[in-house]
Amino acid sequence: MEKYLEHWDNIFTEWIAAGTIPQSESYWEPQVEKIGLLGELMPEPYLGDPYNCSVVILNYNPGAFNYNTKSEEGLKKYLADPVHYSRLSDPTSMAYHYAQNYRKRATAGGYLGRCVDPMYENSGLTQAGKCWWCKRMDWSRELISESNRLPFAIELCGWHSHEWKNIKYTPEILAKLKELLAPAIEEAIKKSDLGIGVCVGAQWSWKVLPAFGYKDVTAEVMGMMDYKRGWKPLGGTRSYCILRNDNDIYILNTWKSGFGNMNVPKPEFRPIEKKIIEKIKAQ
């Protein structure tokens, strides 16, 4: 975990020295056009404290933003925005402060901390973005209601984007993600109160986690005789998958097909999720 945190500390230090944010880390560059990575915004590789968290949430990336910088008006608004505009060479800008203090800000809770973070209301995050994060935090609280700690969210890709479904996971990308993320994810899950990671999005169990050494053990854990890929406990479009690696680290992956596919499960799935957690802990 510390190696991962130091990795991003060093990256932010380099950017401050250069006064600019690159388009992406090199291994994402072949995919930039497909997923629309936004180099205009400060990346957010993680939020929360991995050494002091309720549950570990795995995300694809932090999301998009509202400015269409290809239009004259959108570009004008973006350049006038001291929060989003990446003026890393300007010590008075929030971007400069953000980069210099990322670990401190993120481990204090960031958006997940709501009012705990004094920068929250001035973060530049849209109301929709705040709701997106708040729903994830509320979900984590319901999964482990006895914990009073904040979740830790780690991003597959620290950059914001407009799109994600078109990503092609090349061997280079998967190898780099495994090197950077897999040890950090495992250590954070071990230190969390729940002791089980959670993630939304089918790509986690289809492409990414298998490359990290995780296997689908849904049928084994839930005692199913007839299981293919993804369990729909209430029918419909919501699926679940349980993954485990050789170190007995479990991750619960859920996804929904169609509209709102990145939304967290609705409250009616909570009893099912608690049953899954009980089954995992009984292994």
Side-chain angles (χ1 to χ4, degrees):
M1 190 72 239
E2 191 62 27
K3 184 178 179 180
Y4 176 77
L5 299 179
E6 288 178 355
H7 168 81
W8 280 100
D9 287 344
N10 292 335
I11 285 178
F12 288 137
T13 300
E14 292 172 3
W15 293 350
I16 291 172
T20 185
I21 298 174
Q23 188 175 29
S24 69
E25 287 186 289
S26 60
Y27 58 91
W28 285 115
E29 287 178 3
Q31 305 296 318
V32 167
E33 293 301 321
K34 292 182 180 179
I35 58 178
L37 296 182
L38 302 172
E40 299 99 326
L41 300 183
M42 284 294 299
E44 295 175 290
Y46 61 90
L47 287 174
D49 186 347
Y51 301 114
N52 182 31
C53 64
S54 57
V55 62
V56 176
I57 302 174
L58 283 61
N59 294 315
Y60 287 153
N61 72 339
F65 77 136
N66 291 337
Y67 300 123
N68 176 13
T69 55
K70 293 182 180 180
S71 73
E72 183 178 351
E73 183 64 22
L75 181 62
K76 182 179 179 181
K77 289 181 179 179
Y78 163 67
L79 294 175
D81 184 341
V83 176
H84 279 132
Y85 181 36
S86 303
R87 295 180 296 186
L88 290 185
S89 59
D90 181 358
T92 66
S93 71
M94 182 173 281
Y96 184 93
H97 173 79
Y98 192 117
Q100 280 199 320
N101 297 277
Y102 189 81
R103 189 194 290 218
K104 181 178 179 182
R105 179 178 185 271
T107 55
Y111 305 134
L112 298 175
R114 299 182 183 179
C115 296
V116 174
D117 180 1
M119 294 177 68
Y120 174 75
E121 289 302 328
N122 298 317
S123 64
L125 192 67
T126 64
Q127 192 58 41
K130 290 178 182 179
C131 289
W132 191 89
W133 278 114
C134 289
K135 285 179 180 178
R136 269 163 167 68
M137 189 171 81
D138 291 341
W139 181 43
S140 72
R141 283 177 169 169
E142 291 166 353
L143 290 177
I144 183 162
S145 57
E146 62 270 26
S147 175
N148 60 3
R149 301 199 287 183
L150 294 171
F152 172 70
I154 190 166
E155 307 292 339
L156 188 71
C157 177
W159 271 260
H160 297 247
S161 78
H162 289 298
E163 184 59 82
W164 197 254
K165 64 183 179 181
N166 293 325
I167 181 71
K168 181 180 180 182
Y169 293 98
T170 64
E172 179 190 15
I173 287 177
L174 290 174
K176 195 63 179 180
L177 290 174
K178 181 179 181 180
E179 175 191 345
L180 289 174
L181 288 178
I185 289 170
E186 180 168 328
E187 184 176 347
I189 290 174
K190 286 180 180 178
K191 294 179 181 298
S192 69
D193 289 335
L194 186 62
I196 299 167
V198 297
C199 56
V200 179
Q203 293 178 34
W204 281 104
S205 56
W206 291 356
K207 298 287 186 179
V208 181
L209 290 174
F212 291 4
Y214 288 81
K215 297 179 181 178
D216 186 338
V217 294
T218 310
E220 174 187 336
V221 172
M222 300 305 294
M224 296 177 176
M225 298 298 293
D226 183 20
Y227 172 80
K228 293 182 181 178
R229 221 221 72 78
W231 171 42
K232 293 182 172 61
L234 296 181
T237 59
R238 171 66 61 184
S239 298
Y240 287 87
C241 176
I242 305 166
L243 299 108
R244 180 183 66 207
N245 71 3
D246 290 340
N247 295 326
D248 287 333
I249 299 298
Y250 287 85
I251 295 176
L252 178 59
N253 178 218
T254 183
W255 65 92
K256 179 184 177 184
S257 59
F259 181 76
N261 60 336
M262 293 307 298
N263 292 342
V264 299
K266 292 181 178 179
E268 55 260 38
F269 287 96
R270 260 1 127 244
I272 295 165
E273 292 163 350
K274 290 186 178 295
K275 180 181 178 182
I276 295 173
I277 289 169
E278 289 175 4
K279 292 277 190 179
I280 291 174
K281 288 184 177 291
Q283 297 298 302

